Amino acid sequence: MKRPVRFPVSTTLLRRLAFANIVANVAIVVTGGAVRLTASGLGCPTWPRCTDESYTATAEMGMHGAIEFGNRLLTFVLVLIAGATLLAALAHRPRRRGVVPLALAVVLGIVAQAVIGGITVRTQLHPSIVGIHFVVSMLLLLVAYAPWRRVGEPDGPTVVLVPPALRALTWITVVASAAVIVVGVAVTGSGPHAGDADAVRNGLDPQAISQIHADVVFLLVGLTVGLWLALRAVGAPAHTVRAALTLLLVELGQGVLGFVQYFTNLPELLVGAHMLGSCLVWLATLAVLWSTRERRPVEPAPPAPAVEEPVAAHA
C-alpha cells in the first residue's frame, strides 16, 4: 500500500514552478550579458572567492565587483527555484513520467554552469569558454522547458499531429535555430564586448563571421516561413500554426535588432536586448516542436469478461 503524500502539490503549482525555472534561466543569461557588456567579467578576479581574501565583493572593487558578484548570487536563486521544482515534482500526484529526471537535470545543469563560470574567470574570459557557457544556458532552457510542457500532459502515447514531411521540416528548423545560436556565439567571440579590456578574442574576422551568421538567420527565417505556410496548407491544428507564426515574428524582431546593432557599432543596450532575443527565439522554436505532437490520455483497460458459473445438474 502506497503511503499518502504529506504535502501534496497541485499540478498548477508544479507548472508555475517549472515556468519560474524557465524565467530564471533566461534572467541569468541577460544578467550574464550585463556582466560582459559593462566589462565586469573580472570584477571578481577569482573563483569561488571574489578575491583571494573574500567571498564577497568589497567597496574597493567598485561597480564592476558589485555587478559580477551580484550575478554570482543569482546562481543561488536559480538553485532554490530548481530545487523547489524538483521537490514539487517528487510530491506531485499523479506523478508524470519523466518530470522528476528533467527537474533533477535542471539542478545539476545549474551547478555545472556555476563551475563553467568559474573556469571562465580562471581562463581570463577566454571566448571559447564564454561561448560554452552560453550554449549550455540554451541547453538548460531546453531541459527546463520540457518539464513545464510535460506536467500538463497525460501519460498516454505520443501522437504526431502533422504529416511526417512537416515533422521532419520542424526538426530541420530546430537544427537551424541551434546553428544560429552557435554561429552567434562565434560572432560574439570576435567582437568588442569581451567582458574585460584585456580579454582575448577568438581571432575570427568580425565582418566575415557576421555575414555567415546573417546567412544562417536568413535560412532559419526561410524555413520558418515555409513551415508556417505548409502547416496552413495541410490544415494543421490551430495552435501549431499559431506557434509557427509566433516563431516567425520573434525571428523577424530579432533579425531587425541584429541589423540595427551591427550598423550602430554594437551599443551595449541593443546587444543585451539581442541576447534576450536569442532566448526568446529558442523558446519559440521549442514551442513549435512541442506543438506538432501531443500525448493522449491512457485508455482504461477493457473490463474483464464475466465468468459464468456452472449450473448444477439436477438429480
Side-chain angles (χ1 to χ4, degrees):
M1 181 178 179
K2 293 183 178 179
R3 296 177 59 184
V5 179
R6 183 171 297 179
F7 302 106
V9 172
S10 67
T11 300
T12 300
L13 175 58
L14 178 55
R15 202 151 196 263
R16 286 176 177 173
L17 286 171
F19 185 74
N21 244 343
I22 299 172
V23 174
N25 277 282
V26 171
I28 198 73
V29 170
V30 175
T31 58
V35 170
R36 181 167 58 82
L37 295 170
T38 57
S40 302
L42 295 177
C44 287
T46 187
W47 188 89
R49 295 174 182 263
C50 193
T51 69
D52 290 334
E53 295 79 25
S54 174
Y55 281 99
T56 62
T58 62
E60 292 78 10
M61 300 172 69
M63 180 188 70
H64 294 314
I67 292 174
E68 165 63 7
F69 183 67
N71 188 61
R72 291 188 183 189
L73 286 180
L74 274 179
T75 300
F76 294 99
V77 177
L78 260 69
V79 170
L80 287 175
I81 295 174
T85 305
L86 175 59
L87 293 176
L90 289 168
H92 180 252
R93 296 293 184 274
R95 185 178 293 174
R96 294 284 182 259
R97 287 198 304 267
V99 172
V100 172
L102 287 168
L104 176 61
V106 174
V107 175
L108 297 178
I110 293 170
V111 173
Q113 275 290 69
V115 174
I116 296 172
I119 296 172
T120 301
V121 172
R122 289 186 173 273
T123 57
Q124 303 296 300
L125 308 181
H126 192 281
S128 297
I129 308 301
V130 173
I132 291 172
H133 204 31
F134 186 81
V135 171
V136 173
S137 291
M138 297 299 104
L139 292 176
L140 260 177
L141 279 179
L142 167 60
V143 178
Y145 184 86
W148 177 65
R149 294 297 296 257
R150 182 70 186 89
V151 168
E153 297 177 330
D155 285 326
T158 300
V159 177
V160 177
L161 303 175
V162 298
L166 291 188
R167 179 70 167 171
L169 180 57
T170 302
W171 275 108
I172 293 171
T173 305
V174 172
V175 172
S177 184
V180 168
I181 292 171
V182 173
V183 180
V185 166
V187 173
T188 299
S190 70
H193 299 297
D196 186 80
D198 298 325
V200 299
R201 303 283 72 204
N202 59 22
L204 297 174
D205 177 62
Q207 186 173 358
I209 192 64
S210 295
Q211 182 61 58
I212 294 173
H213 181 56
D215 293 340
V216 181
V217 169
F218 285 134
L219 173 62
L220 174 61
V221 172
L223 288 170
T224 306
V225 170
L227 179 61
W228 174 54
L229 293 176
L231 289 171
R232 293 185 61 188
V234 300
H239 72 278
T240 306
V241 177
R242 188 164 54 248
L245 178 59
T246 300
L247 172 59
L248 177 60
L249 295 176
V250 174
E251 288 170 354
L252 292 176
Q254 176 75 336
V256 170
L257 187 58
F259 277 108
V260 172
Q261 70 166 4
Y262 180 79
F263 289 110
T264 55
N265 296 317
L266 304 175
E268 289 82 357
L269 187 60
L270 290 184
V271 174
H274 200 57
M275 293 183 68
L276 172 61
S278 296
C279 297
L280 297 180
V281 169
W282 183 232
L283 289 172
T285 302
L286 297 177
V288 173
L289 179 62
W290 255 262
S291 73
T292 59
R293 33 73 71 202
E294 69 177 9
R295 283 183 180 272
R296 300 283 169 81
V298 178
E299 295 184 3
V307 179
E308 296 183 3
E309 296 184 1
V311 179
H314 295 284

